[in-house]
Amino acid sequence: MEHPLGRPQEVERVLGERGTGERSAREALAERLRELREGSGRTYASLARRIGVSGSTLHRYCTGQTVPAEFAPVERLARLCGRSGEEREALQRLWLRADAERVERQEAGLAGSPAAGVGEDAEAGAALGTGTEAGADAAVRRSRDTATGTQALSGSVPPAAAAVHRDEGSSAYAGGPPAHAPRSRSVRRWVQALAVCAVAALALVLVAASAGPSRQQRPERQPPVARPAAPPFTWTSDDHVWKYGCGHTYLVGGPPAAVPPPPAEADAESWATALGAVHAGETGVRITLQGTDERAVVLEALRIRVVERREPAEGRVHRMSSGCGGALTPRMFDVDLDVARPVARSVPGNDTGEPIPAVSFPYRVSASDPEVFLVTGRAADCDCDWVAELRWSSGGRSGTVRIDDGGRPFRTSGAPGRPVHDYDFVTRRWVAEP
């Protein structure tokens, strides 16, 4: 049964409901996603594989347990279900409101003490006042210097007075400027002759400059430098993909008491960035590819290149879950980063007992047929920085695209012998594994 999602009036009503006691934007978004899923007639696992998330993650989206951290999976779900552009725009406005509510809840939970905030504001205000006074003094000095320079250039102040401090009581200036000896006629004639020669030489220089270099002296025109062709597809990457949506480990350098509780998968990136955490043992990277038009783009090969190797990072292993299960195994490429020349090996997955065949290159993508690749990089004996390189061709053009984490390489570190901690939700603290 089809459910219309393009109801702008309904979306605007939900956006304006905040604070009236009715349902929140997150609940409204979950209802819309459920309508999409039910109207498609497909299972959670089948839809999730097409939009690049796990089945359990899509279930949490549709039940309102989690708000998607980005609009991309929601848009892919709407496109897959055949929704129009107007309906997708209405759905995006609803997601923006739900995401804003999620951020507000996070800020409310992480807010510091009011006294600290007041002290910081006071210090900032004092610094601003000091900077304003200093800026005013500098402006006054600059205006004075400008006025003096203007007078000297306009001639209202004699150059000698502007450049040299003279003693008005000095006898050298008591009687006016010093008298010059009268020039003889021969000297004046020589000066005039030299001036005529200088003018003639200057005229010759100007004529030669305007004529330009001769044809033999002109440099040859250099051929234009060829620029690398822009790929006819777009890509995004997410290196905080958890196994089954709940299983992952991070290396954290601080003491366990200073580590906050494990986040949801959608908030893992901000949690790890704030703590300086490193992926421990393996890194799951989701790569989403979509063509810019209907022309097919052939993906020929996926290569992995380790940029730098170091000894495994220090810290404690923090597991995001003490154990979780699921029937969906979305991994499609597996990489052993410890070997000298790592290779992305295609491996099959599993969807509720139904095998997912391994992806074999070459592969094709277009604007109407996006694809998602899941790459798992594993490391046991090194702290490795690595990137993926995707070889493509389309319409007589070809090239290689580097896939990384926003300009930085992905990072995976082994954790041999590091202490392991699980979070106890009863005592609300991290507990070392016995």
Side-chain angles (χ1 to χ4, degrees), residues 266-293:
D267 303 322
E269 182 176 3
S270 58
W271 185 91
T273 302
L275 296 173
V278 181
H279 297 287
E282 67 176 42
T283 302
V285 181
R286 179 172 54 241
I287 304 172
T288 304
L289 304 157
Q290 185 172 17
T292 56
D293 52 39

Side-chain angles (χ1 to χ4, degrees), residues 348-391:
N350 184 281
D351 184 3
T352 61
E354 180 181 352
I356 301 176
V359 175
S360 59
F361 285 94
Y363 216 69
R364 294 175 182 269
V365 297
S366 63
S368 59
D369 189 19
E371 285 299 336
V372 178
F373 292 161
L374 298 175
V375 180
T376 301
R378 304 180 185 277
D381 302 324
C382 74
D383 181 4
C384 293
D385 294 340
W386 58 280
V387 298
E389 295 177 342
L390 185 62
R391 180 73 180 175

Side-chain angles (χ1 to χ4, degrees), residues 56 60 243-247 321-328:
S56 58
R60 289 197 298 273
K243 186 184 298 183
Y244 309 127
C246 60
S321 176
S322 58
C324 59
L328 178 65

Side-chain angles (χ1 to χ4, degrees), residues 4 14 60 105 123 316 378:
V14 172
R60 289 197 298 273
R105 287 195 301 271
E123 293 177 2
R316 296 177 175 87
R378 304 180 185 277

